[in-house]
């Protein structure tokens, strides 16, 4: 009997996907290098080094008694709370199992075979994944000084384009587009193309020219803004994010959303986290101070870095970054190689606690000096 390669029978978009590479868990590295887990530093996934607000733990404990029940499928209380926060209607909100889930919902709603999505070089890795998983093609425009070139992106929109993915700020470059540039881009964009503005790091941005594009929802019925609780809110492990859009788009997204995609603990955690904006502020201040420290550390090593509006920074090692990444891991410091983003010489480093950042710089210095 002839053997059959089942790979050939998967949808062609899925066959072409370049899988997402998650960072190595602390426990795995600890085993590999024979180091205590507590001595390992992970600055690889842009999480909040302070963890979530103390109110989150309390709120989550208080709903443990409901664990045998399905969650509220409509996330009614959470959406009401978010609607207050954003001064919008709850019907404009779509919740997701992380904002990644929301990106997938958008792709399943607006993309498929014979359609395309426009995105920038070096943009967040999930955009091509979500696009190709549903059979659509990715149109990638060259970056401008590591950031999105919105003129190039507008020019790349084809007749079959239905989605434009914009990360503002972008991961892994930390670049952002300003208010005027984004607003004129949206004005130019055909109304039958959905503009997705992914604001996963908005809480960290301190530039006055940076746009909170959720304020433009009334003006652009084809705009979707995504937000997450994974970064500044410190809830990455719970998996919760959401989209803000017109009610029409939210209604469409909610048709393909799994009814129980956001679990009970995540809903409780998110509401408690929203109520503690002081905690977010502490994280933002820590990030500001420590970002400067990292930049100065790189300067002292003569390394170029990309100015970042997020809670991470990509630094140019001036050579293939993989050997340096490996050497750092052997010293117990996990950062992120970004070769899969077309940035083979860069490492992306999340801003951690002061001691973690200092140790990261020490280890990087030791490795680079050791090579000379
Ligand atoms: C981390 C990140 C997200 C958030 O993903 P979640 O699924 O909400 O954890 C979204 N967009 C970008 C650009 C990110 O870096």
């Amino acid at each position: 009997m002839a053997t059959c390669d089942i790979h050939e029978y998967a949808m062609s978009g899925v066959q072409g996907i370049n899988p997402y590479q998650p960072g190595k868990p602390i426990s795995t590295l600890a085993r590999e290098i024979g180091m205590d887990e507590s001595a390992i530093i992970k600055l690889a996934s842009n999480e909040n080094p302070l963890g979530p607000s103390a109110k989150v733990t309390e709120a989550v404990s208080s709903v443990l008694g409901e664990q045998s029940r399905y969650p509220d499928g409509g996330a009614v209380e959470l959406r009401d709370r978010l609607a207050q926060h954003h001064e919008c209607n709850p019907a404009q909100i779509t919740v997701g199992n992380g904002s990644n889930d929301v990106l997938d919902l958008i792709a399943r709603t607006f993309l498929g075979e014979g359609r395309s999505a426009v995105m920038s070089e070096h943009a967040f890795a999930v955009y091509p994944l979500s696009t190709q998983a549903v059979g659509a093609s990715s149109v990638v425009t060259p970056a401008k000084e590591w950031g999105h070139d919105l003129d190039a992106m507008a020019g790349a929109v084809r007749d079959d384009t239905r989605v434009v993915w914009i990360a503002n700020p972008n991961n892994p470059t930390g670049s952002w587009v300003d208010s005027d540039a984004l607003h004129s881009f949206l004005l130019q964009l055909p109304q039958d193309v959905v503009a997705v503005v992914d604001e996963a790091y908005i809480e960290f941005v301190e530039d006055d020219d940076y746009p909170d594009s959720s304020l433009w929802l009334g003006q652009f019925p084809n705009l979707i803004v995504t937000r997450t609780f994974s970064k500044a809110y410190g809830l990455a492990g719970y998996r919760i994010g959401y989209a803000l859009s017109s009610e029409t788009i939210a209604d469409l997204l909610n048709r393909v959303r799994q009814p129980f995609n956001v679990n009970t603990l995540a809903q409780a955690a998110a509401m408690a986290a929203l109520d503690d904006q002081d905690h977010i502020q502490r994280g933002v201040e820590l990030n500001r101070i420590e970002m400067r420290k990292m930049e100065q550390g790189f300067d002292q090593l003569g390394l170029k870095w990309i100015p970042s509006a997020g809670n991470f920074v990509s630094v140019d090692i001036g050579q293939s970054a993989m050997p340096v990444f490996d050497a750092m891991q052997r010293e117990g410091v996990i950062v992120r190689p970004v070769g899969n983003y077309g940035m083979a010489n860069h490492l992306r480093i999340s801003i951690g606690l002061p001691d973690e950042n200092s140790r990261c710089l020490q280890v990087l210095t030791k490795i680079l000096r050791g090579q000379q």
Side-chain angles (χ1 to χ4, degrees):
M1 208 169 72
T3 53
C4 144
D5 181 1
I6 199 71
H7 181 271
E8 300 305 317
Y9 293 88
M11 298 300 284
S12 63
V14 176
Q15 290 184 41
I17 283 178
N18 186 6
Y20 183 85
Q21 305 282 356
K24 190 174 287 205
I26 290 177
S27 54
T28 311
L29 181 65
R31 256 198 322 277
E32 285 177 6
I33 64 173
M35 193 184 265
D36 202 71
E37 278 189 31
S38 61
I40 289 177
I41 289 172
K42 188 171 183 194
L43 300 173
S45 302
N46 306 342
E47 294 128 332
N48 185 341
L50 299 175
S53 158
K55 298 195 167 102
V56 166
T57 313
E58 235 174 275
V60 168
S61 312
S62 76
V63 294
L64 283 178
E66 296 165 37
Q67 59 195 336
S68 61
R69 304 260 174 220
Y70 277 99
D72 172 3
V76 172
E77 210 185 326
L78 172 61
R79 283 168 53 240
D80 280 346
R81 183 68 193 76
L82 283 169
Q84 255 174 27
H85 184 74
H86 290 289
E87 299 181 15
C88 71
N89 190 316
Q92 293 177 265
I93 298 169
T94 309
V95 293
N97 192 269
S99 58
N100 257 294
D101 183 28
V102 175
L103 302 176
D104 264 350
L105 298 181
I106 295 167
R108 285 165 58 206
T109 303
F110 293 102
L111 295 173
E113 298 276 350
R115 296 184 174 203
S116 68
V118 171
M119 66 201 80
S120 173
E121 181 188 15
H122 314 309
F124 187 43
V126 169
Y127 309 150
L129 267 176
S130 293
T131 300
Q132 285 155 230
V134 296
S137 45
S138 300
V139 179
V140 181
T141 58
K144 196 165 87 184
E145 287 164 35
W146 301 108
H148 292 19
D149 179 345
L150 290 181
D151 291 332
M153 291 177 79
V157 169
R158 314 190 303 212
D159 287 345
D160 70 356
T161 300
R162 288 292 166 272
V163 171
V164 178
W165 304 108
I166 296 169
N168 203 34
N170 182 44
N171 165 20
T173 58
S175 59
W176 73 102
V177 293
D178 71 27
S179 192
D180 287 347
L182 186 56
H183 194 258
S184 43
F185 173 85
L186 293 172
L187 282 172
Q188 241 181 301
L189 192 70
Q191 293 191 356
D192 58 0
V193 179
V194 170
V196 181
V197 182
D198 176 349
E199 298 182 341
Y201 299 96
I202 187 172
E203 294 84 3
F204 296 104
V205 188
E206 303 197 276
D207 192 304
D208 287 341
D209 292 331
Y210 172 86
D212 169 353
S213 56
S214 72
L215 302 175
W216 298 335
L217 286 168
Q219 194 184 348
F220 301 108
N222 55 337
L223 172 63
I224 305 179
V225 180
T226 63
R227 298 285 184 96
T228 183
F229 283 97
S230 298
K231 306 289 159 57
Y233 285 96
L235 303 183
Y238 287 99
R239 311 305 304 126
I240 177 160
Y242 59 99
L244 300 164
S245 67
S246 63
E247 291 185 26
T248 308
I249 288 182
D251 172 54
L252 290 164
L253 298 180
N254 275 298
R255 292 177 195 203
V256 295
R257 185 178 66 82
Q258 282 183 46
F260 304 113
N261 64 334
V262 178
N263 71 67
T264 306
L265 306 188
Q267 292 187 31
M271 283 185 280
L274 264 182
D275 281 338
D276 192 353
Q277 292 295 321
D278 289 347
H279 182 74
I280 302 300
Q281 230 24 63
R282 280 192 290 276
V284 168
E285 275 155 34
L286 172 74
N287 187 61
R288 184 195 312 128
I289 294 166
E290 292 297 307
M291 177 72 85
R292 290 297 92 76
K293 180 169 102 188
M294 295 307 278
E295 292 168 352
Q296 285 164 7
F298 301 147
D299 285 345
Q300 278 169 12
L301 288 169
L303 301 178
K304 279 193 282 197
W305 41 273
I306 307 173
S308 170
N311 63 341
F312 56 88
V313 55
S314 284
V315 58
D316 185 348
I317 303 298
Q319 57 179 298
S320 169
M322 273 322 272
V324 176
F325 164 74
D326 287 331
M328 289 179 81
Q329 270 200 345
R330 285 194 297 273
E331 298 279 338
V333 178
I334 313 176
V335 297
R336 200 85 161 98
V338 281
N340 58 325
Y341 285 93
M343 298 167 67
N345 288 4
H346 283 82
L347 288 175
R348 189 194 69 198
I349 301 178
S350 305
I351 305 300
L353 296 171
D355 287 352
E356 297 176 321
N357 301 327
S358 299
R359 167 113 172 271
C360 176
L361 283 174
Q362 266 166 19
V363 164
L364 183 61
T365 305
K366 178 177 154 190
I367 290 164
L368 293 178
R369 297 255 158 91
Q371 287 180 339
Q372 286 165 1

